[in-house]
Amino acid sequence: MQDVLHLLGVGESSFKGFKTAQIGQTPDFAGLTDGLAAEREQGITIDVAYRYFATPKRKFIIADTPGHEQYTRNMVTGASTADAAIILIDATRVDFNGEEPSLLPQTKRHSAILKLLGTPHIIVAVNKLDLLGFDRAAYEKIVSAYRKLAAQIGLNADIRFIPISALGGDNIVNPSSNTPWYQGEPLLTILENLPSVEEVSHYNADFYFPVQLVVRQDADKADDFRGYQGRIERGSVQLGQTIRIEPNGLTAKVTEIITPKGEVTQSVAGEVITLRLDRDIDISRGDLFVDESSPLTPQKQLEATICWFDERPLNTARKYLLKHGTQTVFAKIS
């Protein structure tokens, strides 16, 4: 069975609206993903567009995200689920006047976000080399500048570089005769051969189940049903397992695991289930089920790296809403 690669595409280029090509003309391929009228009118990508395609070897889901600074938050949305990212650098917009080429601020910003999100594979596609006469020296200068950027921000991903001309299809599906100095594989071959993302063993990871909904049926009967619904975010759970409920610290045993397809004896991360316990405990939305031996304990303080996207500066004097599992709480940044 084909594995699915979630791919992020983020670029620097400005595009005009999609127009149907006349005979002998080249269509504007950006229109295939720029679906909003505002995107076609302004010549920029605003929203995240998802497109799907497959080869005999692998299926792909592409998240085409904006390069424009104002829509950086949309880029993060696409990057949050990506297994790999293509950073598209417009070679014609790189400043070669200094001792070293100057990459655009958004290239630096997007690379920093990919570093923070831990994206494992990054492909730097140096585009529009046809407008530079497929100049090898210009390409190598851009590669050198990006390597220095990666070292500066601590980007430890698997980084690959490829010279392309998307308009002419150079090094997209087949090797290009315009870049005989490039001995690497074309873009599609690289994508097909990227290693699958290694999944953490569900059975070895700590069980982590935020309660989303408490289900009651026939509450007026002595044998009324009480279940706790949600999605297993990590690890696994099985019948008879002793779990601990946080933040109250009480324990109980799992007596039923109910899925949309019926009862099961075990369930793993990613599955939406309803759990029943061997005793009634005061449990509400936002409470957390963990294994009895889990080292997790309630905390009032946490440390985190924050990407601040609001145009107004962060205010440490006010309280902010923090999405914590399946509940929303107030938090103050110290």
Side-chain angles (χ1 to χ4, degrees):
M1 182 178 181
Q2 295 170 314
D3 63 320
V4 180
L5 186 73
H6 295 260
L7 186 63
L8 170 76
V10 57
E12 296 185 344
S13 304
S14 295
F15 298 106
K16 298 178 180 178
F18 179 75
K19 299 178 181 178
T20 303
Q22 303 296 325
I23 296 177
Q25 294 181 346
T26 302
D28 185 348
F29 297 111
L32 296 174
T33 53
D34 288 346
L36 298 179
E39 292 178 318
R40 296 191 294 271
E41 291 169 358
Q42 300 184 50
I44 59 175
T45 301
I46 297 175
D47 201 2
V48 182
Y50 293 94
R51 296 294 182 265
Y52 308 83
F53 75 96
T55 67
K57 192 171 183 179
R58 177 175 253 173
K59 295 180 180 179
F60 297 89
I61 301 175
I62 299 178
D64 179 43
T65 60
H68 195 280
E69 179 180 5
Q70 186 176 350
Y71 307 109
T72 302
R73 55 176 64 89
N74 292 0
M75 181 267 176
V76 177
T77 299
S80 63
T81 58
D83 302 321
I86 298 177
I87 293 185
L88 195 65
I89 295 180
D90 184 343
T92 64
R93 298 179 68 188
V94 175
D95 185 2
F96 292 97
N97 292 324
E99 293 183 2
E100 295 182 355
S102 178
L103 300 175
L104 292 184
Q106 59 205 59
T107 299
K108 302 175 183 178
R109 184 184 311 112
H110 295 150
S111 300
I113 292 171
L114 293 174
K115 188 263 182 182
L116 289 172
L117 294 177
T119 306
H121 305 287
I122 297 176
I123 300 171
V124 180
V126 182
N127 191 27
K128 298 191 178 181
L129 277 179
D130 55 314
L131 298 180
L132 299 182
F134 293 97
D135 187 349
R136 178 178 183 177
Y139 167 75
E140 291 180 347
K141 287 180 180 180
I142 294 173
V143 170
S144 176
Y146 193 89
R147 290 191 189 278
K148 291 181 179 179
L149 169 64
Q152 180 183 359
I153 64 176
L155 185 59
N156 297 319
D158 168 30
I159 305 176
R160 311 183 189 205
F161 300 89
I162 180 171
I164 67 170
S165 169
L167 186 65
D170 293 273
N171 291 325
I172 302 297
V173 177
N174 300 307
S176 172
S177 60
N178 292 316
T179 56
W181 41 266
Y182 173 69
Q183 302 301 316
E185 298 173 321
L187 179 61
L188 185 60
T189 303
I190 293 175
L191 295 178
E192 285 185 322
N193 294 328
L194 283 179
S196 299
V197 178
E198 295 181 1
E199 297 182 357
V200 177
S201 174
H202 299 311
Y203 303 102
N204 296 329
D206 291 334
F207 175 56
Y208 189 98
F209 178 85
V211 176
Q212 185 171 352
L213 181 67
V214 179
V215 182
R216 297 294 307 279
Q217 295 178 3
D218 301 327
D220 58 332
K221 296 182 180 180
D223 60 345
D224 64 295
F225 181 97
R226 183 194 298 259
Y228 307 99
Q229 288 185 342
R231 184 179 65 186
I232 302 178
E233 299 297 338
R234 192 174 66 189
S236 62
V237 65
Q238 57 187 1
L239 286 180
Q241 180 175 339
T242 301
I243 57 103
R244 190 174 78 242
I245 300 96
E246 294 293 356
N248 60 37
L250 299 176
T251 60
K253 287 189 176 182
V254 177
T255 58
E256 287 184 58
I257 304 173
I258 305 171
T259 72
K261 296 182 179 180
E263 293 187 26
V264 296
T265 59
Q266 188 174 42
S267 190
V268 299
E271 296 180 348
V272 178
I273 62 173
T274 301
L275 292 179
R276 295 195 69 189
L277 305 178
D278 64 346
R279 65 192 187 106
D280 291 338
I281 300 176
D282 183 8
I283 298 173
S284 304
R285 174 185 171 89
D287 287 348
L288 179 68
F289 290 1
V290 297
D291 188 75
E292 181 185 23
S293 61
S294 173
L296 290 175
T297 57
Q299 302 287 335
K300 289 190 176 181
Q301 292 186 335
L302 60 88
E303 293 184 0
T305 300
I306 298 177
C307 271
W308 189 259
F309 293 128
D310 201 310
E311 296 178 0
R312 297 165 296 179
L314 184 148
N315 184 357
T316 57
R318 60 165 291 186
K319 290 183 177 180
Y320 291 95
L321 292 174
L322 173 68
K323 188 70 168 62
H324 180 253
T326 53
Q327 63 179 326
T328 303
V329 298
F330 281 106
K332 188 175 181 180
I333 301 173
S334 59

